[in-house]
Amino acid sequence: MHKKKNQPALPAAAAAAASEIVDECELPLIDLRPLILAGGSAEEREKCKTEMARASEEWGFFQVVNHGVSPEILDRMRREQVKAFKQPFDRKKEEDDSAIEQFATTVADLAQKLAGILAEKYLGRKSTFFQDNCAPSTCYLRMNRYPPCPMPPAAAVFGLMPHTDSDFLTILYQDDQVGGLQLVKDGKCFAVKPNPQALIVNIGDLFQAWSNGVYKSVEHRVVTNPHVERFSTAYFFCPSYDTEIESRCEPSIYRKFSFKEYRQQVQEDVGKLGRKVGLSRFTVNAIYS
Ligand code: OGA
Ligand code: NI
């Protein structure tokens, strides 16, 4: 697992466009009890899997409860994160990492499980693709801190610019009180209401390609709160660099590409164009050269 601590930059341009009225939404809520705890019936498990697949198709986002990551693990993780951000930079290496490691290990299991279920629902059979290609060592954790940012007139401030995630799926542990995450659904922007018990799951670009566009990697962003800071932790479920992503479905929307190729293209685009172009570069009939 790689760890990154970033304090999202707030360039002046980030204080842009978020001025439209944004409705609040509740993400599809999926109770994982039948899958995580013993004792669920086959029927209950199947219903849960179907809900997950449907949410991934319609929203690209859902929230899960009874996910098996205990409140203690979540609390310790967040306390450690807050502490880490408060420490002067040169002290950071000395921090006690066990809370963060424990969180990462538990969430890694959950990510593996959810990805396996979504693969099975898409293919109609079980697949070992994710076990074979996504090990904890190729996944990473990002701890975000969004400082409060007073709103300039008629605009909200982006703590994280609109983007899609470049992974298979992301598990997000967001602040249980302070909202700010917004996502696009049917061309409209919605603010995600925090649910203290839930973890948020979202589909990334690789899963969209792998499922030939069935599961959606949707654009999302974070708007900072004018008064209070917000913390979040994102676990990015990624394959090794040499993993080839292809849908094995005809006609395929995307050409086959390796994760390494994808990452390099994203970096190149961000460097040259100032933004990620993303999956549209990898369609069979790509308009970009
Ligand atoms: C991300 C992300 C959302 C959040 O890190 O990619 O979308 O709420 N984070 O911090
Ligand atoms: Ni994201």
Side-chain angles (χ1 to χ4, degrees), residues 245-256:
I245 317 296
E246 62 174 327
S247 73
R248 295 170 191 275
C249 177
E250 292 296 333
S252 182
I253 302 174
Y254 306 101
R255 68 173 174 82
K256 181 161 118 178

Side-chain angles (χ1 to χ4, degrees), residues 253-258 261-262 265-266 278-286:
I253 302 174
Y254 306 101
R255 68 173 174 82
K256 181 161 118 178
F257 58 89
S258 71
E261 210 184 325
Y262 196 70
Q265 188 65 59
V266 169
L279 270 186
S280 54
R281 279 232 190 261
F282 293 84
T283 54
V284 169
N285 303 308

Side-chain angles (χ1 to χ4, degrees), residues 142 160 163 165 220 236:
R142 183 159 74 193
L160 200 54
H163 68 280
D165 293 349
H220 53 284
F236 297 94

